[in-house]
Amino acid sequence: EKEGAAYFTGSEASPVERQLYRVSLDGSTLSRITPQAGSHEARLSPAGDMLLDSWSNWSTPPRLDLLRSDGRRIGAVSENPRSDLAPYKLVVPELFTVKTHMGLEMNAWMMRPPDFDSSRKYPVIVYVAGGPGEQAVLNAWGGDISLWFSMMAEKGYIVFAVDNRGSGAGGHLFEEPLHLRFSSVEMADQRDGVLYLRSLAFVDKSRIGICGWGYGGFLALHGMLDRPLLFSAGFAGSPVTDWHLYDAVFTERYLEDPTRNQDGWLASSPIENAKFLKSPLMVAQATMDEQVHLENTLLLLDRLLDKGKYADTLLFPDRRGMFQDRGARLILFQRLTEFFLKNL
């Protein structure tokens, strides 16, 4: 306060990055503090003279640097070289853009097998995340999920992601199309992503799958149930199947009143199209998840059973999240790997 300045993280440099900025309280002298490309998260010292900067990128696990308040680097607190990863030739995503049928440029990335041969045909796993405040395309260390993507690339899969409208860091106009209904514009953009994949000579058009967690799991269900049915296999982790069961503060911010906008609430649910399921689907759910309650998965299974259908179900009892402990993560990724190896 005595310096008359505020510090914040933003995506001014690029929507796929998070950089630290300093600005005077009167709005003048905006300056970028962090020089490295990637994603930064900083903590200011009580005296306001130093910063702890935690940053990473596609290929660099999180490290911690100590900076002066003007951005000058004092030194590394923790470089976290992760020498245990050195023997593995991790696949780094290729960043590019995909154009929709409406002419919108969307950020995307692709992981190709290390021995990629353009004359071959490869199956594809499409990773979706794109809800408010969420991104699939972010230049940051992805942890367990990114390591799993790299492993699947080694097994001969292409992994692909695109940030549809509604995703984080795109600005208000990029998010606004979600207003009054979830899934419609998101899946329209994801279908444009699939059309792009189908245009590539090295993609096996009959073997394109989809996976996601949270909002991405919700979109993965729409991808498996909404026509046209474009995906040959799908995984949905902690998916919302009825927005009446989710946090009202979040949901009503976008869908507004459930009585006045009843059509929008109902159309946002994927379970109305349960009868159209024709390809293998796996659903994972932590039974004590305090955000996406178990009722969501039970409701989906009930609706599928009504239509004589079913989804492979992976339950994590007495856990609030699928990634809560090492044992749960291990089982999740083992089953997920087996599912796609078998069905895609």
Side-chain angles (χ1 to χ4, degrees):
E1 185 175 0
K2 65 182 180 182
E3 292 184 15
Y7 293 83
F8 65 96
T9 53
S11 54
E12 180 267 346
S14 167
V16 303
E17 294 190 359
R18 295 294 185 274
Q19 299 292 342
L20 179 66
Y21 297 87
R22 181 182 190 272
V23 65
S24 298
L25 293 180
D26 62 5
S28 63
T29 62
L30 172 68
S31 60
R32 175 172 156 180
I33 299 296
T34 44
Q36 305 95 337
S39 295
H40 296 257
E41 183 177 348
R43 286 186 293 169
L44 192 64
S45 66
D49 56 344
M50 290 185 291
L51 292 153
L52 275 177
D53 174 31
S54 174
W55 73 275
S56 68
N57 58 31
W58 301 118
S59 57
T60 306
R63 57 176 289 173
L64 196 63
D65 287 339
L66 185 63
L67 310 177
R68 300 194 186 279
S69 59
D70 60 3
R72 288 180 295 162
R73 188 169 181 268
I74 298 173
V77 177
S78 173
E79 296 198 22
N80 193 12
R82 293 307 302 264
S83 58
D84 53 326
L85 293 176
Y88 304 96
K89 296 181 180 179
L90 299 181
V91 180
V92 177
E94 310 162 32
L95 180 66
F96 57 101
T97 60
V98 172
K99 183 175 289 188
T100 70
H101 68 281
M102 299 176 64
L104 176 68
E105 296 279 352
M106 299 186 298
N107 290 317
W109 59 252
M110 179 181 288
M111 288 184 177
R112 306 186 191 200
D115 58 351
F116 177 76
D117 180 353
S118 61
S119 66
R120 291 179 54 190
K121 297 282 188 181
Y122 293 92
V124 181
I125 298 173
V126 176
Y127 171 56
V128 288
E134 297 186 42
Q135 284 178 264
V137 185
L138 184 64
N139 188 4
W141 180 252
D144 292 353
I145 296 174
S146 183
L147 293 174
W148 181 74
F149 290 154
S150 183
M151 185 191 75
M152 294 305 289
E154 288 183 8
K155 292 182 180 294
Y157 291 82
I158 288 174
V159 187
F160 170 81
V162 61
D163 271 345
N164 50 258
R165 284 172 292 170
S167 302
H172 175 70
L173 292 179
F174 195 70
E175 185 181 271
E176 172 60 25
L178 270 65
H179 187 207
L180 300 179
R181 180 178 174 181
F182 292 142
S183 80
S184 179
V185 297
E186 302 99 298
M187 294 312 301
D189 291 346
Q190 290 297 330
R191 291 186 188 100
D192 282 335
V194 172
L195 291 177
Y196 164 77
L197 291 172
R198 288 183 165 185
S199 72
L200 302 176
F202 52 81
V203 167
D204 187 337
K205 300 174 180 60
S206 65
R207 300 170 66 196
I208 299 178
I210 188 170
C211 74
W213 287 261
Y215 200 94
F218 159 73
L219 292 180
L221 283 184
H222 276 283
M224 294 297 294
L225 301 178
D226 295 356
R227 293 179 294 180
L229 301 175
L230 303 177
F231 299 100
S232 302
F235 168 82
S238 301
V240 175
T241 62
D242 185 340
W243 288 99
H244 294 87
L245 302 175
Y246 197 70
D247 175 47
V249 173
F250 173 89
T251 309
E252 292 186 22
R253 182 184 306 147
Y254 296 93
L255 300 185
E256 296 191 1
D257 184 87
T259 301
R260 291 197 301 270
N261 186 31
Q262 184 180 28
D263 289 346
W265 282 70
L266 295 177
S268 297
S269 170
I271 60 175
E272 297 301 316
N273 290 323
K275 62 184 177 182
F276 297 124
L277 179 66
K278 70 172 185 178
S279 300
L281 170 64
M282 175 181 278
V283 179
Q285 174 72 48
T287 63
M288 293 183 65
D289 192 320
E290 295 171 342
Q291 293 182 309
V292 181
H293 300 160
L294 177 61
E295 284 177 277
N296 285 275
T297 294
L298 296 179
L299 183 61
L300 170 68
L301 295 178
D302 177 61
R303 194 60 59 89
L304 288 172
L305 285 170
D306 287 344
K307 306 302 178 182
K309 301 175 183 292
Y310 196 68
D312 290 342
T313 307
L314 188 57
L315 294 179
F316 295 88
D318 200 32
R319 282 164 175 79
R320 290 180 171 83
M322 297 181 296
F323 302 95
Q324 186 171 335
D325 57 81
R326 182 180 182 276
R329 290 197 301 272
L330 187 62
I331 293 299
L332 172 65
F333 286 115
Q334 284 178 343
R335 292 291 302 276
L336 193 53
T337 302
E338 294 167 0
F339 174 79
F340 279 113
L341 289 177
K342 177 183 177 181
N343 297 299
L344 193 63

